[in-house]
Amino acid sequence: MKRFKLVLAVMLCVLSCFFFLAGCGSDQGNGKDSGEDTEAGGVKYREELDVIIDNTKIAILDPHSPAAGTSSATWAFQMIYDTLVADLGDGQFGPDLATRWETEDWQHFTFHLRDDVYFHNGEKLTAADVVYTVERAKENPGSAGHDKLSIVESVQAVDEHTVEMTLQSVNVEFLYYISDSRASILNQKAIEADPEKGTWIGTGAWTVSDFASNEYVVLEANENYWGEIPKTKKMTLKYVAEESTRLMQLENGEAQVCFSINANDYDYVESQTDKFVTFPFTSNNNSYIAFNMNDPICGDLNFRKAVASAIDREEMVASAFNGYGEVNTLGTFWGFRTEFKNENIPIIPKDLEKAKEYLAQSNYNGETVEIVSAIPDLIKTAQIVQAQLAEIGINTTIKETDPPGISAYATYADNKAQMIVYVGGISLNAGSTKAYFYPYGSYNRASYKNDEVIALYDLAVSQADPAEREATYHKIQEIVAEDLPYINLMNTTFLVCCAKGVEGLKLSNLAYHDLTYMYMIEE
Amino acid sequence: MLRYVIRRLLWLIPVLLCVSLLIYVLMDLAPGTVIDSMITEQMTPEDIEKLRQEYDLDKPVIYRYVKYMWGFFHGDLGKSQVTGLSVWDSFISRFPATLKLSLVSVVFGAVLAIPIGIFAAQRAGTIWDNLTTGFTLIGTSMPSFWLGLLLLILFAYKIQLFPAGGYQGPSSYVLPAITSGLMMTAITARQTRSSMLEVLRADYLRTARAKGVPERLVIRRHALKNAWIPILTTIGMGLSRFLAGSAVIETVFSWPGIGRLTVEAVSQRDVTLACGCVIMTSILYVIILLIVDLLYAFVDPRIRGKYASGSRKRKVTA
Amino acid sequence: MGSEINDRTVQDNKELVLEVEDLIVHYVLQEETVEAVNGVSFSLERGKTIGLVGETGAGKTTTALAIMNLVPDPPGVIKNGTITVCGHKMLDLSANQLEKIRGKDVSMIFQDPMTSLNPVLTVGDQIAESVMLHENLSYSKAFKRAQEMLEMVGIPGTRATEYPHQFSGGMKQRVGIAIALACNPKLLLADEPTTALDVTIQAQVLDMIDDLKRELGTALVMITHDLGIVAKTCDLVAVMYAGRIVEYGTLEDVFDRTMHPYTEGLFNSLPDISNRKSQLQPIPGLMPDPTNLPRGCAFAPRCRYATAACREEQPSRREVSETHTVYCSAYDDPNFQIERTRGRGGNG
């Protein structure tokens, strides 16, 4: 009886609590944004767009900060700033702030700047700003901007609108580097006046009106932009930490675009075609298994081949990624869309008998091998790997950590891991793969070193002829495929989920999406 | 009184030394350092080594700690290792969001809790008392992220009455304030109830009633004033906890406050920012509890007398 | 509403300030019922003093609280009875009406001055509060009155701004008296006003109550277990035992012509100063458990005169004189006398 009373009391409490909440809510305003619309030629564009960015967050609005390496930061950079040249894809480059450029030897470059470009603070763009930008980037080691511009030996302004740059050595990928948003041109005067907020000043189509580190950046269309003026008037790029509320915000109109919906909700969003429109893109980044080449077990090629023959990639994509991913079909470890990919290297097929044979020839004698992993999806992948390896008799344990933990665990010089299941960034330029195969490469989690590969990489950057370069990179891939320090598993497919009517989004396999001209047609 | 305040503030020093050392050691024990999230594919080993030196990562943790605290005691909270921005500026720019939410939550919690507590105490042992006890039980035991998500599903998703997150406009305060306030309501209501129950038995209430004081004044003027101290303590504790920024609530509701700042700092291994946040919130915590202590004197003349007796002997007539 | 009629009743009854009739108060707890007051009746005229005498637990305080209609409820339940204070039927009034009478027509001094003053209000405010409530004075006037009241009880008016913890026990009780008398009540209930005080202070306080009573013409119900105080202050005495009045009469009736064995027992347990060699004769045994009162006379188990009949039946009421009443079945035997009377010659 007493218990019944208690239960009753509890239930009544919950009820009254919710009634109270509902009651107190009703006199508050509606939470939805009421962005007004711009009408042009019969088509109404929504004035304000709220964009939920991905988990990389925007720590700082300064392309030269070490914290500016994240993908979502590049979205803001592309909107706020301009670069000297524009990457048109497939190794082609077009004008941006520079109307034209000349180079004879891929070491000395001359850029001619536009004459009609003004920064957001009203200052006119001059060659001095370009010089300042390059020099500032070079002074900031560890920054993405430094990455792009540190190969510049010297830079000088020839006149108001002409800049000359000399590289430390020949580099055929230089245009690729300076088309990156983290090599954007900043304003000298603004930064010298306010070192912290001066970097918010660019020449781009959007101006910054508010920013909170790792939380949000509010952008407004730059009506004085030298190029095409965006149709949307205000855009907020915001980070929503709680995954489950992202879909809610999309549903109730607090956000029109979301880059980070939980993959479990993809099917639902795709089914709601009257409300949503989705844009898929497949990441250039590989999910992989890395082997510590210095480890007595993993350093044995037969062991690595045994693993390669035992795994089933289809199962990983299906169960760890809900089917949203591209299964790797080649034997090379190269980015999904990275240039000069060698399509002729065959994958090691799944063959348990073969796997057992390799294992029998290896140093492996029933030891327990540790797999290090981080991020939920990849930990799931690691668990699948674990189950699949158990089938051929390899015992493993999984150690879970977080991304900084992975970096700390497995560096080239000090590799404490045996196997790693993780995902790694690879750019579209072939040179970026160096990070995996070059000694002290920042992503060289296999501690892989092969003198032939080193020599080929050094050769490739100086080969101006694309055909020669292709041959060199193909050769590198063949050697690496033989050595097998990494097993390429898959490339994740992401769905950008948008309210119906959103268009103009330029997606990139590198997740360096261009949101500058994104708009939403209202019905 | 002043001496008391100064003594309490001096206690801050060991407190701060302890919490900051704890943060430094714990973050040093966590795998990875701040530069691990900065490494990009094009960095050379020399670049990385240069970074390590720049952040003193080649030296022992105690060196970095002493260096940081040296700066701190010279009034410098340092710069964020990730963004390079001043920790003080970062903290101050985020503090208003947390402060506003805290105040709204505390007011919501207290305004609801005190009447509930009095109501329950006056009807101790009845079904109403059991109902409120049930309510406080739920309120204290419900995990706030769960309650937050429930409220979000109900009011942001199903009814679409309030935004599902963010920090604009009054309506965005409602759900986070209820979520954090409810816990506080429950605790404060419980405290009010027990504290009132004790007072309601007091002889001086009988004296007041015998004077013909109307019942509502008996409660308000005579009982509540005596029950204030534990209630104030609970509210003060609640406020200082909110001001430290509830990481959970700020995460669930995308609230750009101190809690989120600290969480991000820790996840990016930004030791200076994390340490600065913790130091600042510790200072706030101590100061608020001090203010609550001083409020005791305001509420209770006996305590006031005790403070005063340090400087001036009171006459006590026999 | 019925005030006209009530006023007339007062005049009809020679200014009867208090009339209690057949009052029964029980404390109903979950597992047991405490029978605290079991049919008490008495009355009091203007300016007179009645002493309610008895051991702890006899129901004196409950009776006083019932007069104010302040018996804590729950658990207290007034089962029966009528209480008339200055013509107001206290048990029939609404909370609102009661609040107007309490503190104005009837007020009370409590036993423990240490706990009966509110520690967080100044004594001046606590006195002024009832003045403001009952006489519609502004705060400043009420506070001035509070200062006068303090002066009247012998405390400098300047101390009105101080808090109870700054006063000694005796002064606190004076403040309690000042609170009770602030609105010149017609009836004052003093519940063991001196028990918690030092002996020297006791006398001062009693003298003061006596003076003030005479000055203001207040009727007084003095609750005490101290027969000395009764002798000093009371006109009438009601001896209570286990929730009943066992003997009732004028001071002379009860002290000089004691009838009830319990009253006798009380006197015997006093030390006799004139005869230092005499032994104290405490009453044997304990008060009966109020949750389980015996069927017959509650005092029978401790009474040396008790007969079988005493244990079976409630004692009968016997009016010895116009003013003197006793409840004792032993007097059914016309030759019965208690020892105290016998000792005095037995012919009274």
Side-chain angles (χ1 to χ4, degrees):
Chain A
M1 188 61 200
K2 218 168 176 180
R3 213 151 123 204
F4 171 74
K5 256 164 76 180
L6 186 75
V7 171
L8 189 78
V10 165
M11 274 163 54
L12 277 172
C13 269
V14 171
L15 266 181
S16 57
C17 160
F18 273 104
F19 278 128
F20 160 74
L21 296 177
C24 112
S26 56
D27 41 39
Q28 295 282 340
N30 196 308
K32 285 185 203 172
D33 277 323
S34 48
E36 285 171 33
D37 310 308
T38 10
E39 207 155 338
V43 184
K44 273 166 69 185
Y45 299 107
R46 197 185 156 87
E47 281 208 344
E48 287 182 24
L49 288 183
D50 274 58
V51 180
I52 300 174
I53 60 176
D54 66 17
N55 285 324
T56 60
K57 287 164 272 185
I58 305 173
I60 186 167
L61 292 182
D62 177 359
H64 298 166
S65 161
T70 65
S71 57
S72 47
T74 65
W75 312 348
F77 295 164
Q78 289 178 73
M79 296 169 81
I80 302 165
Y81 316 111
D82 291 311
T83 48
L84 288 175
V85 300
D87 182 358
L88 303 178
D90 297 326
Q92 302 300 305
F93 296 92
D96 201 350
L97 287 179
T99 52
R100 59 198 170 83
W101 57 93
E102 294 116 26
T103 179
E104 300 285 319
D105 53 358
W106 295 96
Q107 191 169 14
H108 298 87
F109 291 81
T110 308
F111 296 93
H112 303 276
L113 304 181
R114 294 182 71 100
D115 190 21
D116 57 349
V117 178
Y118 291 87
F119 284 98
H120 300 151
N121 59 355
E123 293 290 314
K124 192 164 194 246
L125 170 78
T126 65
D129 291 311
V130 178
V131 173
Y132 174 77
T133 302
V134 173
E135 280 172 351
R136 184 172 185 270
K138 287 177 68 179
E139 282 163 16
N140 282 286
S143 77
H146 176 83
D147 266 9
K148 315 296 168 201
L149 297 170
S150 59
I151 52 174
V152 177
E153 174 81 33
S154 67
V155 55
Q156 62 255 358
V158 177
D159 61 37
E160 187 104 327
H161 301 295
T162 314
V163 186
E164 275 183 11
M165 293 189 203
T166 307
L167 307 188
Q168 287 162 347
S169 59
V170 173
N171 196 319
V172 292
E173 291 184 345
F174 184 60
L175 288 184
Y176 184 84
Y177 290 163
I178 58 167
S179 67
D180 190 288
S181 63
R182 285 155 301 185
S184 295
I185 305 306
L186 305 176
N187 181 243
Q188 179 173 14
K189 204 168 166 191
I191 295 171
E192 279 169 357
D194 181 351
E196 288 191 1
K197 289 187 179 174
T199 58
W200 298 10
I201 303 296
T203 57
W206 293 85
T207 60
V208 180
S209 74
D210 194 12
F211 172 64
S213 175
N214 290 322
E215 301 295 338
Y216 58 81
V217 51
V218 182
L219 301 163
E220 279 167 21
N222 177 7
E223 298 295 336
N224 302 316
Y225 187 50
W226 58 270
E228 184 193 343
I229 292 167
K231 295 186 177 73
T232 309
K233 294 298 154 218
K234 187 177 169 193
M235 212 184 295
T236 304
L237 309 185
K238 60 186 180 188
Y239 174 62
V240 174
E242 177 57 43
E243 213 176 47
S244 52
T245 64
R246 295 173 188 160
L247 181 60
M248 277 185 216
Q249 296 206 12
L250 201 60
E251 290 244 18
N252 72 5
E254 282 168 68
Q256 286 72 45
V257 182
C258 179
F259 284 90
S260 47
I261 293 252
N262 188 314
N264 294 325
D265 291 328
Y266 283 172
D267 289 338
Y268 165 76
V269 175
E270 281 193 308
S271 70
Q272 304 287 307
T273 47
D274 55 326
K275 281 195 282 186
F276 303 123
V277 46
T278 57
F279 302 102
F281 73 93
T282 298
S283 169
N284 201 56
N285 300 345
N286 295 336
S287 300
Y288 60 81
I289 301 174
F291 298 94
N292 181 354
M293 300 293 276
N294 301 329
D295 184 75
I297 297 169
C298 296
D300 178 1
L301 181 63
N302 281 318
F303 178 79
R304 300 199 294 273
K305 280 188 175 166
V307 172
S309 311
I311 54 170
D312 179 352
R313 296 175 170 85
E314 306 278 348
E315 192 186 333
M316 293 172 195
V317 174
S319 38
F321 293 87
N322 243 1
Y324 287 88
E326 297 287 335
V327 174
N328 173 46
T329 54
L330 293 174
T332 181
F333 186 86
W334 215 242
F336 186 64
R337 287 274 180 267
T338 302
E339 58 182 354
F340 309 129
K341 192 168 180 174
N342 190 337
E343 310 270 348
N344 304 320
I345 303 175
I347 192 165
I348 299 173
K350 182 181 175 183
D351 183 342
L352 292 183
E353 292 312 311
K354 250 320 194 357
K356 284 174 188 158
E357 263 173 50
Y358 286 130
L359 195 61
Q361 292 164 24
S362 75
N363 304 341
Y364 180 76
N365 287 310
E367 296 93 340
T368 300
V369 178
E370 189 182 65
I371 304 177
V372 183
S373 190
I375 308 179
D377 290 345
L378 289 154
I379 291 170
K380 251 189 265 172
T381 311
Q383 286 161 353
I384 296 166
V385 170
Q386 181 177 40
Q388 290 171 350
L389 293 186
E391 282 181 46
I392 59 164
I394 299 178
N395 303 320
T396 51
T397 63
I398 295 176
K399 184 185 169 68
E400 296 179 21
T401 178
D402 61 352
I406 291 270
S407 302
Y409 230 74
T411 56
Y412 175 80
D414 181 21
N415 203 333
K416 294 183 270 292
Q418 290 185 289
M419 284 167 71
I420 295 160
V421 173
Y422 199 52
V423 60
I426 305 178
S427 291
L428 295 179
N429 61 320
S432 66
T433 58
K434 227 168 107 172
Y436 293 84
F437 307 124
Y438 216 72
Y440 296 100
S442 49
Y443 298 157
N444 192 345
R445 311 213 188 281
S447 297
Y448 175 67
K449 182 170 185 267
N450 185 323
D451 292 336
E452 207 181 343
V453 170
I454 297 170
L456 288 170
Y457 268 113
D458 293 343
L459 174 66
V461 278
S462 61
Q463 288 175 312
D465 176 11
E468 283 175 25
R469 215 149 73 222
E470 181 166 32
T472 312
Y473 282 122
H474 279 189
K475 180 81 184 139
I476 291 175
Q477 292 174 61
E478 281 161 22
I479 299 169
V480 170
E482 291 283 314
D483 290 342
L484 202 64
Y486 303 92
I487 297 173
N488 191 355
L489 299 177
M490 48 134 356
N491 297 87
T492 318
T493 299
F494 295 95
L495 279 194
V496 182
C497 302
C498 306
K500 212 176 169 196
V502 170
E503 286 172 29
L505 180 57
K506 275 191 225 153
L507 294 175
S508 130
N509 294 112
L510 297 179
Y512 297 162
H513 312 303
D514 187 358
L515 282 57
T516 311
Y517 295 110
M518 187 166 69
Y519 58 88
M520 178 171 163
I521 296 172
E522 296 242 290
E523 288 175 14
Chain B
M1 181 91 134
L2 188 67
R3 266 172 55 191
Y4 176 76
V5 172
I6 291 172
R7 207 171 56 220
R8 284 281 297 264
L9 288 178
L10 281 179
W11 263 106
L12 255 174
I13 297 171
V15 168
L16 292 183
L17 283 173
C18 285
V19 293
S20 55
L21 182 64
L22 203 65
I23 285 288
Y24 256 83
V25 170
L26 283 180
M27 287 191 58
D28 192 62
L29 288 177
T33 61
V34 63
I35 60 168
D36 287 323
S37 54
M38 299 176 182
I39 293 173
T40 58
E41 62 241 47
Q42 262 124 10
M43 268 189 195
T44 63
E46 294 78 45
D47 288 340
I48 295 172
E49 192 48 41
K50 224 185 278 172
L51 268 182
R52 281 175 58 83
Q53 281 168 9
E54 193 181 324
Y55 291 114
D56 291 323
L57 290 173
D58 49 342
K59 304 200 177 63
V61 58
I62 201 73
Y63 174 88
R64 298 194 295 274
Y65 173 70
V66 169
K67 191 173 164 186
Y68 180 81
M69 290 315 282
W70 182 257
F72 171 72
F73 283 113
H74 287 77
D76 180 14
L77 274 178
K79 286 185 186 316
S80 158
Q81 294 184 332
V82 171
T83 62
L85 304 180
S86 136
V87 170
W88 170 255
D89 288 348
S90 304
F91 185 88
I92 286 302
S93 71
R94 292 303 188 78
F95 188 61
T98 293
L99 179 68
K100 284 184 211 160
L101 181 60
S102 307
L103 291 180
V104 173
S105 306
V106 164
V107 168
F108 168 80
V111 161
L112 206 62
I114 293 171
I116 289 178
I118 294 172
F119 179 85
Q122 281 179 295
R123 288 160 189 75
T126 67
I127 178 79
W128 293 109
D129 183 33
N130 290 344
L131 272 178
T132 48
T133 309
F135 162 76
T136 55
L137 198 73
I138 293 174
T140 41
S141 52
M142 196 153 33
S144 51
F145 76 92
W146 184 74
L147 174 66
L149 286 177
L150 270 189
L151 292 177
L152 277 174
I153 291 170
L154 188 62
F155 292 108
Y157 187 60
K158 297 274 183 226
I159 313 183
Q160 307 205 345
L161 205 58
F162 299 111
Y167 165 58
Q168 330 101 333
S171 66
S172 64
Y173 284 80
V174 177
L175 296 184
I178 289 175
T179 310
S180 50
L182 202 64
M183 164 82 115
M184 158 133 177
T185 307
I187 297 173
T188 314
R190 229 166 62 164
Q191 186 56 258
T192 308
R193 178 181 174 274
S194 63
S195 157
M196 278 298 281
L197 266 184
E198 210 166 289
V199 172
L200 283 177
R201 280 193 285 262
D203 287 350
Y204 49 79
L205 290 199
R206 203 174 52 187
T207 311
R209 291 196 184 98
K211 274 193 288 191
V213 178
E215 192 59 25
R216 69 193 150 78
L217 282 182
V218 169
I219 297 298
R220 223 165 52 201
R221 194 187 300 164
H222 290 265
L224 193 54
K225 233 182 149 183
N226 278 284
W228 260 121
I229 286 188
I231 301 173
L232 263 183
T233 313
T234 323
I235 294 177
M237 296 274 271
L239 179 64
S240 48
R241 210 172 309 134
F242 291 154
L243 281 184
S246 162
V248 173
I249 287 184
E250 291 185 1
T251 300
V252 170
F253 292 98
S254 310
W255 199 263
I258 301 302
R260 291 269 313 124
L261 185 68
T262 314
V263 167
E264 286 300 333
V266 171
S267 76
Q268 293 175 336
R269 307 288 192 268
D270 189 341
V271 186
T272 40
L273 183 55
C275 197
C277 286
V278 170
I279 284 181
M280 287 303 295
T281 49
S282 308
I283 292 176
L284 279 174
Y285 202 95
V286 170
I287 287 180
I288 287 179
L289 291 189
L290 177 62
I291 291 173
V292 168
D293 262 18
L294 297 182
L295 276 180
Y296 291 171
F298 177 77
V299 173
D300 192 328
R302 285 165 293 186
I303 298 177
R304 212 177 310 160
K306 229 179 275 166
Y307 285 137
S309 66
S311 49
R312 185 161 58 102
K313 264 269 178 278
R314 272 271 160 177
K315 52 181 171 183
V316 172
T317 332
Chain C
M1 33 183 264
S3 66
E4 235 176 276
I5 305 165
N6 287 340
D7 285 346
R8 213 174 305 142
T9 336
V10 172
Q11 283 164 3
D12 285 354
N13 289 326
K14 284 193 250 162
E15 294 200 59
L16 218 50
V17 185
L18 170 67
E19 214 179 347
V20 179
E21 264 175 66
D22 201 20
L23 178 69
I24 299 179
V25 185
H26 289 175
Y27 292 104
V28 182
L29 304 170
Q30 225 158 25
E31 268 134 43
E32 53 193 14
T33 299
V34 178
E35 299 176 1
V37 178
N38 303 300
V40 164
S41 307
F42 65 94
S43 60
L44 189 63
E45 286 169 34
R46 184 176 183 277
K48 295 285 185 191
T49 300
I50 186 169
L52 290 187
V53 190
E55 289 168 80
T56 310
K60 296 165 304 194
T61 301
T62 303
T63 305
L65 288 175
I67 293 170
M68 303 282 283
N69 198 353
L70 265 182
V71 177
D73 170 26
V77 182
I78 299 179
K79 290 260 182 180
N80 186 36
T82 50
I83 293 168
T84 316
V85 173
C86 305
H88 306 289
K89 302 263 186 237
M90 293 299 277
L91 302 183
D92 301 337
L93 296 180
S94 68
N96 228 328
Q97 291 166 315
L98 279 172
E99 279 156 9
K100 292 202 177 92
I101 293 166
R102 289 181 196 145
K104 181 158 173 53
D105 289 337
V106 52
S107 59
M108 188 159 171
I109 303 168
F110 293 96
Q111 182 171 1
D112 188 353
M114 306 302 164
T115 60
S116 53
L117 294 182
N118 193 329
V120 301
L121 298 175
T122 64
V123 296
D125 284 348
Q126 293 189 56
I127 301 169
E129 190 176 24
S130 65
V131 181
M132 280 165 74
L133 282 167
H134 297 298
E135 306 192 356
N136 280 327
L137 290 182
S138 69
Y139 174 75
S140 57
K141 279 186 186 157
F143 195 79
K144 197 156 268 163
R145 166 78 79 78
Q147 287 179 314
E148 287 164 23
M149 289 307 297
L150 280 179
E151 298 275 356
M152 202 169 89
V153 296
I155 298 171
T158 48
R159 297 195 63 184
T161 53
E162 291 182 18
Y163 290 91
H165 71 275
Q166 291 163 296
F167 291 81
S168 66
M171 295 190 96
K172 278 184 199 164
Q173 193 57 299
R174 287 166 194 239
V175 172
I177 292 166
I179 291 175
L181 294 177
C183 296
N184 296 339
K186 298 192 183 74
L187 173 63
L188 179 64
L189 312 173
D191 183 7
E192 312 233 13
T194 57
T195 319
L197 304 178
D198 291 345
V199 187
T200 46
I201 317 272
Q202 275 186 14
Q204 286 180 19
V205 168
L206 284 176
D207 284 344
M208 198 183 65
I209 292 176
D210 221 32
D211 292 347
L212 294 172
K213 187 190 86 179
R214 219 159 287 148
E215 209 171 297
L216 304 170
T218 309
L220 175 66
V221 177
M222 172 65 79
I223 294 166
T224 182
H225 59 267
D226 185 337
L227 291 169
I229 292 175
V230 175
K232 193 165 160 9
T233 57
C234 296
D235 305 309
L236 295 165
V237 181
V239 181
M240 286 187 74
Y241 188 79
R244 289 171 196 277
I245 291 179
V246 292
E247 186 165 8
Y248 178 79
T250 62
L251 185 66
E252 294 73 27
D253 286 338
V254 175
F255 273 56
D256 299 342
R257 294 180 284 276
T258 310
M259 298 288 283
H260 199 279
Y262 175 63
T263 318
E264 180 194 39
L266 284 181
F267 282 117
N268 285 346
S269 56
L270 289 179
D272 187 348
I273 299 173
S274 57
N275 181 6
R276 293 195 176 200
K277 282 180 189 158
S278 73
Q279 290 264 311
L280 279 184
Q281 295 176 32
I283 308 172
L286 293 168
M287 270 260 266
D289 178 2
T291 65
N292 185 23
L293 288 179
R295 188 144 36 102
C297 173
F299 186 60
R302 302 167 76 185
C303 180
R304 53 174 155 156
Y305 311 106
T307 62
C310 288
R311 294 188 176 88
E312 285 307 312
E313 281 167 41
Q314 283 294 327
S316 53
R317 174 190 159 100
R318 183 168 303 270
E319 287 189 20
V320 186
S321 68
E322 208 175 300
T323 52
H324 195 179
T325 311
V326 65
Y327 292 79
C328 182
S329 301
Y331 288 97
D332 290 349
D333 171 5
N335 294 322
F336 177 73
Q337 268 190 324
I338 56 168
E339 227 166 66
R340 186 177 164 88
T341 332
R342 253 181 266 154
R344 293 204 180 160
N347 53 355

